[in-house]
Each structure stands twice: as C-alpha cells, then as structure tokens.
Amino acid sequence: MYGFKDAFFVGLSIGGLIAQGLAVKRLDLMRAMVLSNTAAKIGTPEVWNPRIETVLRDGADAMVALRDASIARWFTPDFAAANPHQAKLITDMLAATSPQGYAANCAAVRDADLRANLGSIQVPTLVIAGSEDAVTPPAGGHFIQQQVKAAEYAEFYAAHLSNVQAGAAFSDRVIKFLLCR
C-alpha cells in the first residue's frame, strides 16, 4: 500500500510527532527512528488556539510576525547573532508559508498526544534534544526515552533547530545511530 518498508525515519518537531504516530500505528514499516526536538505532546490548546486564530485572521502579516518571533525560539541568541544570514534563510521559509497550511499544522500539533502509546514502540530510537529548546524542552525528550524500550538520548547546546545549530555534531550522532541498524 505505502510502497516502502524497513524505513529509517528522522523527524524534527512536528516530524517527530509524525514518526511517533507512524511507529505506533505501522511499526512494521519502521526499522529505526530519530526523534529530534520533539515530544509526545507539544504545547496546550491555550498556546495553539490563539496562534491559529491570529494566523487565520491576519494572514501573511501574522506569518511575518511569526518569522520574527521564531528566531528567538529556534536559535540561541549567540547562534542567531553569529549566523544572522542562516537564521534569516530558515525563518523566511516560515514567513512564506500559507497561513491556512500553517494553521492546519498548528491544529495537528495541538491535537496530537502520543504519551499513552509510547510504550508500544519497539523500534530502535534515538531521541535528540536541544538544551536551550523552549518549544520542546529536554524533559519531553527524556519522557520519550523513558517510555520507548531501549531508546538512546543525546542532547546538544541548541534551541529548537538543533540540526542547524549543532550541525556537524548532530549529523555525526544521527549517522552513528543509523549505521548500527
């Protein structure tokens, strides 16, 4: 049906939620997964609902405002100051996102809660957290590690986009994990 199996899934943030959902529902398709800067439950309706309402009401203007606020959530201040062009390239992608699409993603994250299902995941899992990640703090990664049998944990000095901020160290850890599978 899906045309693939034995997949290695690397998901960051909402991608990590998707990976967890796939592992819960279709473990037969997964060989291993990396869950980066994510949690089994991200935020609350009190966080997501006002954002959804604002984006749907204000459209592109709201997306620009989110871009500007995202630099502080996605990168540590020292990284953003030292790499303004890189931070801008990434956050500009957010500003160019469809407000309706972004609102739908926010609703999906708001409604996803995989905490009760993590114990059923029996696929090799690497959980990565950013020590400075206010969006998905390390506690969420530790929770996943404790619930998923034999999950490994790695933490980097980074905010929400540890794959960007920790760059080579992040990639080296992911490759090392995947090569052992």
Side-chain angles (χ1 to χ4, degrees), residues 108-121:
V109 172
R110 176 198 63 204
D111 297 343
D113 187 351
L114 296 159
R115 292 175 290 189
N117 304 100
L118 291 176
S120 69
I121 298 174

Side-chain angles (χ1 to χ4, degrees), residues 17-148:
L17 280 172
I18 293 167
Q20 292 171 69
L22 182 60
V24 166
K25 293 182 187 316
R26 290 299 310 267
L27 187 61
D28 60 304
L29 300 177
M30 307 272 301
R31 183 169 174 186
M33 68 178 171
V34 177
L35 305 174
S36 176
N37 300 84
T38 194
K41 173 71 177 154
I42 301 175
T44 64
E46 293 76 27
V47 170
W48 294 111
N49 289 340
R51 186 178 298 183
I52 293 166
E53 292 167 13
T54 300
V55 167
L56 291 176
R57 182 187 65 235
D58 298 342
D61 291 339
M63 297 309 296
V64 171
L66 282 170
R67 173 196 64 201
D68 298 340
S70 292
I71 290 176
R73 286 193 308 271
W74 291 355
F75 305 107
T76 59
D78 57 323
F79 182 86
N83 302 280
H85 180 69
Q86 189 173 16
K88 185 178 180 328
L89 282 173
I90 292 168
T91 56
D92 279 353
M93 287 188 284
L94 176 61
T97 300
S98 153
Q100 293 79 13
Y102 181 77
N105 279 298
C106 290
V109 172
R110 176 198 63 204
D111 297 343
D113 187 351
L114 296 159
R115 292 175 290 189
N117 304 100
L118 291 176
S120 69
I121 298 174
Q122 297 184 19
V123 63
T125 302
L126 171 62
V127 180
I128 298 176
S131 61
E132 311 304 307
D133 188 350
V135 178
T136 54
H142 285 298
F143 180 79
I144 294 170
Q145 179 201 19
Q146 293 164 357
Q147 302 299 310
V148 176

Side-chain angles (χ1 to χ4, degrees), residues 10-13 33-39 125-131 133 136-138 140-142 144-145 152-156 158-163 166 169-175 177:
V10 179
L12 185 140
S13 193
M33 68 178 171
V34 177
L35 305 174
S36 176
N37 300 84
T38 194
T125 302
L126 171 62
V127 180
I128 298 176
S131 61
D133 188 350
T136 54
H142 285 298
I144 294 170
Q145 179 201 19
E152 299 177 29
Y153 181 85
E155 188 171 311
F156 297 102
H160 192 56
L161 298 184
S162 62
N163 61 317
F170 178 97
S171 296
D172 289 346
R173 184 63 179 94
V174 169
I175 290 168
F177 173 78

